[in-house]
Amino acid sequence: MIQAIAFYLFAGVVILSAGLTISSRNPVHSVLWLILAFFNAAGLMVLCGAEFIAMLLVIVYVGAVAVLFLFVVMMLDIDFTELRAGFVRYAPLGVALAVAIAAEIVIGAGAWSAGGVELGAKAAPIAADVPNIEALGRVLYTRYLFVFEGAGLVLLVAMIGAIVLTHRERGGVKKQSIHSQINRRSKDATRNVKDVAVGQGVEL
């Protein structure tokens, strides 16, 4: 009984917050409603026994993506009136896209009710009594170990490339001197000054 109550509670809040996400005029409010939708979707994943996906929703989507959206929306000076001006022009495309997504949902629901395809069991057979996080760990570090390590290397190379491009020599930009920072003595870091007149400040 408690599972059914929790399911309908989480599902109702997800639907409500998703509707408010796309209907709010304030973009900051939209992102906040989106974060609420992610949290409740994570609750639904926990009810389904997919706690790993729930953890990904909270850590990746709420902790990174949604917060990034929030900071970008709050810091950038975006003219939302100008953005809304093109709504009528793109309305037919949006309606067509909504119809296509609705059709895919109907087809997917029909296929699921007809019986799912056991692709996961064929690709990586795991015993039914093994938790999904343990099963995922076994698959990643046994059958797909080299693919997993290769993806990690690709991300590492991308991170190194971003750092190299950011720290290239540019005119007019003062470069950080790590050597001088490490060799600085603690007694040279601060200086006590007495009898400073009001309003004159301190000469450095």
Side-chain angles (χ1 to χ4, degrees):
M1 183 64 182
I2 186 64
Q3 293 89 346
I5 295 175
F7 173 79
Y8 286 113
L9 175 63
F10 287 145
V13 176
V14 166
I15 295 173
L16 178 62
S17 56
L20 291 172
T21 299
I22 61 176
S23 61
S24 297
R25 293 185 177 272
N26 191 328
V28 177
H29 295 169
S30 296
V31 178
L32 293 176
W33 286 117
L34 181 64
I35 292 175
L36 180 62
F38 284 150
F39 270 116
N40 286 273
L44 288 175
M45 293 298 105
V46 171
L47 290 177
C48 294
E51 60 273 7
F52 181 75
I53 299 178
M55 182 179 65
L56 287 182
L57 277 172
V58 174
I59 295 176
V60 177
Y61 285 95
V62 176
V65 178
V67 175
L68 176 63
F69 286 167
L70 184 61
F71 276 100
V72 168
V73 168
M74 292 176 65
M75 288 189 298
L76 293 181
D77 186 15
I78 303 175
D79 188 3
F80 292 99
T81 305
E82 183 180 353
L83 292 178
R84 295 192 190 99
F87 174 77
V88 178
R89 182 174 56 180
Y90 295 106
L93 178 60
V95 171
L97 183 61
V99 171
I101 293 175
E104 289 180 351
I105 292 175
V106 172
I107 294 173
W112 177 79
S113 61
V117 181
E118 297 295 333
L119 294 178
K122 295 178 180 178
I126 298 292
D129 58 343
V130 177
N132 56 0
I133 296 180
E134 183 179 349
L136 181 63
R138 289 184 184 180
V139 170
L140 284 180
Y141 291 101
T142 55
R143 187 182 183 111
Y144 299 104
L145 175 63
F146 295 109
V147 178
F148 183 69
E149 294 293 336
L153 286 176
V154 170
L155 293 175
L156 177 62
V157 171
M159 183 179 66
I160 294 174
I163 294 173
V164 171
L165 292 176
T166 305
H167 285 80
R168 69 183 186 275
E169 295 289 341
R170 290 173 291 176
V173 178
K174 187 177 180 181
K175 192 174 182 180
Q176 180 183 12
S177 178
I178 301 177
H179 181 267
S180 61
Q181 291 178 355
I182 295 176
N183 292 332
R184 186 180 64 174
R185 296 177 298 177
S186 58
K187 64 180 182 179
D188 297 334
T190 59
R191 181 164 61 94
N192 295 327
V193 180
K194 298 182 179 179
D195 301 330
V196 178
V198 178
Q200 291 186 0
V202 180
E203 294 182 1
L204 299 177

